[in-house]
Amino acid sequence: SAGDSAILVARYIGSIIKILVSEGESVKRGQTLLTMESMKMENEIKAEKDGVVTSIKVTPGQNVMQEDDLLMMA
């Protein structure tokens, strides 16, 4: 987190399945932002706070490593 910005990072290795938000969209805490597959399980990645999506760093089908940036919020 830098100032009011927050970077959502992958907590585990996996593959992005769906992105459910777009840049500039307002989101609420607990809202599902994207889904990813890890160890053959589908996981919903949720907003940790209310905010606005400022940048999406991944695309569907992309493989990510632990700690890779997924998206930024303000």
Side-chain angles (χ1 to χ4, degrees):
S1 240
D4 281 342
S5 295
I7 300 171
L8 187 65
V9 297
R11 293 189 177 146
Y12 29 74
I13 297 168
S15 177
I16 304 302
I17 299 171
K18 288 185 272 189
I19 298 171
L20 303 168
V21 294
S22 56
E23 290 182 6
E25 184 174 339
S26 294
V27 297
K28 297 285 184 194
R29 181 174 188 233
Q31 179 177 340
T32 302
L33 305 174
L34 56 90
T35 56
M36 65 182 287
E37 181 182 331
S38 179
M39 298 181 354
K40 300 189 181 190
M41 292 184 62
E42 195 168 302
N43 300 283
E44 294 182 339
I45 308 303
K46 299 179 183 278
E48 296 176 1
K49 64 176 188 166
D50 293 354
V52 176
V53 177
T54 56
S55 180
I56 298 173
K57 305 289 187 184
V58 292
T59 57
Q62 180 178 337
N63 292 322
V64 295
M65 300 299 290
Q66 191 171 4
E67 301 299 319
D68 280 357
D69 294 350
L70 301 176
L71 58 81
M72 294 180 69
M73 290 179 54

